Amino acid sequence: MAAILLILLIVGGTAALSWPLGRYMRWAMDPLTLTGPAGRCDRWFRAVGGRLTHREQDWKQYCLSLLTFNVVTFTVSFAFLALQPWLPLNPDGRQEIEGSLIFNTVASFTTNTNLQHYSGEVSMSHLSQLCALMWQQFVSAATGIAALAAMARGLAGRATMGNFFVDLQRATFLVLLPLALVVAFLLVLGGVPMTLEGAARALTLEGAEQLIARGPVAAFVAIKQLGTNGGGFFGPNSTHPFENPGFFTNVVSTMAIIVIPMAAVWMFGRIVGRMRHATVLFAVMMALLLAKLGVALVWEAAPTQAFANLPIAQDVGNLEGKELRFGAAAGPVWAVMTTCTSNGSVNCMHDSLNPLTGLVPMVGMWLNATFGGVGVGLINMFIYIVLAVFVAGMMVGRTPEYLGRRVEVREVKLAVLAMFTHALLILGGTALFAASPWGAGTLNNTGAHGFSEILYEFSSAAANNGSGFEGLGDNTVPWNVATGLVMLLARFIPILLPLAIAGFLARKRATAPSVGTLGIDTVTFGVMLIATILFLGALTFFPAAALGPIAEHLQFMK
Amino acid sequence: MESLVTSLRIAFVTLLVGAGGYTAVVLGFARLAAPATAAGSLIARPDGTVVGSRLLAQAFTQPRYFWPRPSAVGYNAAGAGGSNKSPTSPDLTARGEQVVAAHGATAARPLPADLAAASGGGLDPHITERAALWQVERVAAARERPPTEVETLVRRHAFAPGGFMTQERLVNVLELNLALDRP
């Protein structure tokens, strides 16, 4: 009962908030007129950016600007981390960071993944946290939102896709910054620390010394949650009482995970001028989200298998790796939300989820389009849409169309390539590391669960998620290099290919809908889309799932 | 080339506002609105020595105190973490056996599960009210105080973190133990 109330509050409340936010995001990202405040912001952004921002860009120029900017942010973050011992705001005297770990961390934060092979309170100075990592949490998220706005403009049939540098500033300053301030204020009121002081020293009641790491946590956590970033200030992320001190902060943080991804659907609908189509997409995503929530809650209500034969009263489900203050359902709810989107923050340890519950986050990352990462979630969904209209077109023998434009060989090839890349990076990487000491030598659990740790890590890197089966000893050179490369490829290929598709579609002549056109505003289309997602997206990974979580579950079946 | 210059300009401005201005505003708000929790919810004795944070668990092993949940990192508040063991792992069974023995649980009087399962960050400051009541007998005996008195103290400290959306009432272990020590 409490679980259902919690889900109603979080999912229902966020869905309700997403509507006005979607409206606002449309205003912020793609203003209809440049008068009033929108115009003033626009002039300011163009003044900051200089001459290049006065030019409208086609998809190639847009992509090139996106890549250039990301190269710059990568370099700046890298410099901050590499120079850490010599920079200020380092009250606890954090030392140099090893090279492959810097590469992995910077790749991770540039790609909006926030996979963390380091532990924040052990390795990072306050300056590194703020200027290398939190800054990326703003601009990498803004990159995703900008890319979505560009894709939507292409699909709306406009001649150009906008200007990346203006879009990036709009997303940073008009969307992310105000929301982050609101969430940070709420977190501060909920008891999250916010200070530039170093660790506090305590003498415990039993006379031991306890060193208490702290820092500017509230500001960091707010944007971490909102920008589908997920990289925590502390190692154990939002399970740490300083990141998430109570029931109230947990509700706020969970809602912050998914509010922008939900609103992005409405923003998209408004830009392409097809709100009914956006509603169908929203419903498809919501159906998948609720299905995953249901499965996770049911499986996580099962007690901890390892305590089965001990005198331990287990009537509240599996508590290993969970915090009591959030309530019993909060762990699996967050686990589903954080992997439906590409957030990757955690409020319970996913490694310690029951085997089949642990499969649900993996499915979330394999599909990666149930609302998905800010901006990029819908871009991933666009791949499925292209494939769905193509398959549907083949079934009825008509040339497939999307938003009045013909989807032809070139577009479908690119869509298949994007999907294939995702699968190849996950399954190829898993195979390589499971078969070599690179992976097998770093496990925290044996057998099928050990395999799951490897599978999860590559899924997380390829989905730009960032959560992990954290027992994995992943701070090794092979892991740092491999997942770093996977994150970079898995970030930019699935942004560039859909932008190319949208660019190609935009150049085609719009055709009037005929009787043979597959209506994209209908329930039929929704069902077709779900079927495509499940058959193409999920089944690709079924054999791997059978070797990991499913095998582990069956081993203990009674 | 022009693209690079534009990128640098925007990187500079976003860094200034996103990392600098934003942090300063939140810091200012925290100092005004919640100075105590902003510094880490530290609890100090009258003489000023800090005994811990009310948000973080610390180790308790003496029978005269209530014990927290197990911690995979030894209650290290400068390097937190969970066990990350699968719920099917034999390592968890071994820890379960240890905890059961330490608490002296029996089949007739089984241990509440939260006292056997480690939390995600290893710093969960709470145990369930049930788990606290379960320990009353030991604490009262060690302090030579009537169990009803200790039980009353536990019940007074119990709270529902999510109001009507909470199934289980909790107790903050450090605060409860501080209250026990007060004459």
Side-chain angles (χ1 to χ4, degrees), chain A residues 179-236:
Chain A
L179 284 174
L181 277 172
V182 172
V183 172
F185 289 170
L186 290 174
L187 292 177
V188 165
L189 295 176
V192 178
M194 185 68 201
T195 173
L196 291 180
E197 285 179 72
R201 237 168 248 285
L203 195 65
T204 70
L205 291 195
E206 292 195 347
E209 182 172 272
Q210 192 181 32
L211 200 61
I212 298 174
R214 48 190 183 158
V217 187
F220 196 94
V221 172
I223 185 61
K224 161 195 114 178
Q225 293 302 98
L226 282 165
T228 58
N229 293 292
F233 192 90
F234 298 100

Side-chain angles (χ1 to χ4, degrees), chain A residues 23-75:
Chain A
R23 218 188 154 94
Y24 170 75
M25 278 170 66
R26 198 268 143 94
W27 175 85
M29 294 304 300
D30 192 49
L32 288 170
T33 57
L34 288 181
T35 54
R40 275 198 296 281
C41 293
D42 218 69
R43 282 192 290 282
W44 197 75
F45 296 150
R46 289 182 205 274
V48 168
R51 201 155 55 90
L52 202 59
T53 54
H54 292 276
R55 222 177 292 145
E56 291 288 290
Q57 298 175 313
D58 65 16
W59 75 267
K60 278 185 201 150
Q61 293 163 325
Y62 199 96
C63 288
L64 197 65
S65 298
L66 186 150
L67 287 176
T68 313
F69 181 73
N70 276 269
V71 168
V72 167
T73 61
F74 184 99
T75 314

Side-chain angles (χ1 to χ4, degrees), chain A residues 135-502:
Chain A
W135 170 56
Q136 283 282 14
Q137 295 187 328
F138 277 105
V139 290
S140 70
T143 300
I145 299 176
L148 175 63
M151 189 185 85
R153 290 187 194 112
L155 294 176
R158 299 203 204 148
T160 62
M161 290 198 144
N163 183 293
F164 171 75
F165 295 111
V166 176
D167 282 347
L168 183 104
Q169 294 182 77
R170 285 173 175 158
T172 306
F173 296 124
L174 301 181
V175 179
L176 295 168
L177 194 61
L179 284 174
L181 277 172
V182 172
V183 172
F185 289 170
L186 290 174
L187 292 177
V188 165
L189 295 176
V192 178
M194 185 68 201
T195 173
L196 291 180
E197 285 179 72
R201 237 168 248 285
L203 195 65
T204 70
L205 291 195
E206 292 195 347
E209 182 172 272
Q210 192 181 32
L211 200 61
I212 298 174
R214 48 190 183 158
V217 187
F220 196 94
V221 172
I223 185 61
K224 161 195 114 178
Q225 293 302 98
L226 282 165
T228 58
N229 293 292
F233 192 90
F234 298 100
N237 213 286
S238 281
T239 67
H240 195 299
F242 273 178
E243 287 202 20
N244 201 357
F247 189 91
F248 163 73
T249 55
N250 187 64
V251 170
V252 171
S253 299
T254 317
M255 292 174 78
I257 290 177
I258 204 158
V259 67
I260 297 181
M262 278 183 171
V265 180
W266 302 128
M267 178 189 89
F268 174 78
R270 286 179 192 281
I271 295 179
V272 296
R274 294 289 288 265
M275 285 312 275
R276 284 177 62 105
H277 176 52
T279 310
V280 172
L281 294 182
F282 197 91
V284 165
M285 293 175 170
M286 188 61 100
L288 289 168
L289 173 68
L290 292 176
K292 282 185 265 188
L293 278 174
V295 173
L297 282 169
V298 167
W299 285 114
E300 208 47 19
T304 316
Q305 169 69 34
F307 298 155
N309 299 319
L310 298 174
I312 293 173
Q314 296 200 72
D315 43 15
V316 284
N318 171 29
L319 285 180
E320 184 66 23
K322 296 207 180 56
E323 306 286 308
L324 295 176
R325 58 194 177 281
F326 311 144
V333 169
W334 184 305
V336 169
M337 297 279 195
T338 198
T339 49
C340 276
T341 66
S342 75
N343 191 293
S345 60
V346 298
N347 77 344
C348 71
M349 285 302 162
H350 289 192
D351 218 344
S352 298
L353 289 170
N354 283 326
L356 286 186
T357 325
L359 175 59
V360 180
M362 288 195 225
V363 171
M365 297 186 292
W366 295 337
L367 304 183
N368 212 18
T370 317
F371 296 109
V374 287
V376 291
L378 203 54
I379 296 181
N380 287 337
M381 181 56 97
F382 173 62
I383 301 289
Y384 289 115
I385 294 173
V386 169
L387 295 173
V389 296
F390 174 70
V391 172
M394 293 297 106
M395 284 161 75
V396 295
R398 297 263 181 169
T399 309
E401 303 173 9
Y402 182 56
L403 295 171
R405 283 174 176 78
R406 289 184 156 192
V407 175
E408 288 165 303
V409 180
R410 187 164 54 171
E411 290 81 39
V412 176
K413 267 188 186 162
L414 292 178
V416 170
L417 185 62
M419 242 192 63
F420 184 70
T421 308
H422 185 59
L424 182 74
L425 290 174
I426 293 174
L427 298 176
T430 304
L432 180 63
F433 272 62
S436 68
W438 289 348
T442 57
L443 303 179
N444 183 45
N445 288 278
T446 53
H449 196 88
F451 175 78
S452 296
E453 286 182 342
I454 297 177
L455 178 63
Y456 197 107
E457 186 74 1
F458 274 107
S459 303
S460 179
N464 286 160
N465 185 276
S467 61
F469 273 14
E470 287 298 335
L472 187 72
D474 46 22
N475 185 17
T476 62
V477 174
W479 270 120
N480 285 339
V481 173
T483 52
L485 292 174
V486 166
M487 286 186 280
L488 290 169
L489 293 172
R491 169 71 167 177
F492 294 106
I493 294 175
I495 286 184
L496 302 187
L497 293 180
L499 279 180
I501 299 176

Side-chain angles (χ1 to χ4, degrees), chain A residues 102-120:
Chain A
I102 297 184
F103 165 70
N104 186 276
T105 305
V106 175
S108 173
F109 279 76
T110 309
T111 57
N112 198 246
T113 310
N114 293 206
L115 194 70
Q116 294 171 292
H117 288 179
Y118 67 93
S119 184

Side-chain angles (χ1 to χ4, degrees), chain B residues 8-27:
Chain B
L8 281 168
R9 289 167 72 150
I10 292 174
F12 179 73
V13 173
T14 49
L15 190 59
L16 207 64
V17 178
Y22 165 68
T23 309
V25 170
V26 182
L27 272 173

Side-chain angles (χ1 to χ4, degrees), chain B residues 6-120:
Chain B
T6 308
S7 294
L8 281 168
R9 289 167 72 150
I10 292 174
F12 179 73
V13 173
T14 49
L15 190 59
L16 207 64
V17 178
Y22 165 68
T23 309
V25 170
V26 182
L27 272 173
F29 177 81
R31 190 153 296 172
L32 288 176
T37 55
S41 306
L42 303 177
I43 302 177
R45 292 188 192 279
D47 67 358
T49 47
V50 174
V51 296
S53 164
R54 62 175 294 275
L55 292 181
L56 306 180
Q58 54 180 249
F60 284 105
T61 52
Q62 299 170 5
R64 52 198 295 272
Y65 285 120
F66 286 91
W67 296 347
R69 301 178 62 187
S71 167
V73 293
Y75 308 98
N76 181 357
S83 73
N84 290 307
K85 290 294 176 191
S86 162
T88 65
S89 164
D91 297 345
L92 275 198
T93 311
R95 189 226 292 147
E97 282 165 354
Q98 254 176 28
V99 176
V100 162
H103 277 277
T106 58
R109 197 167 167 268
L111 191 72
D114 54 307
L115 289 179
S119 64

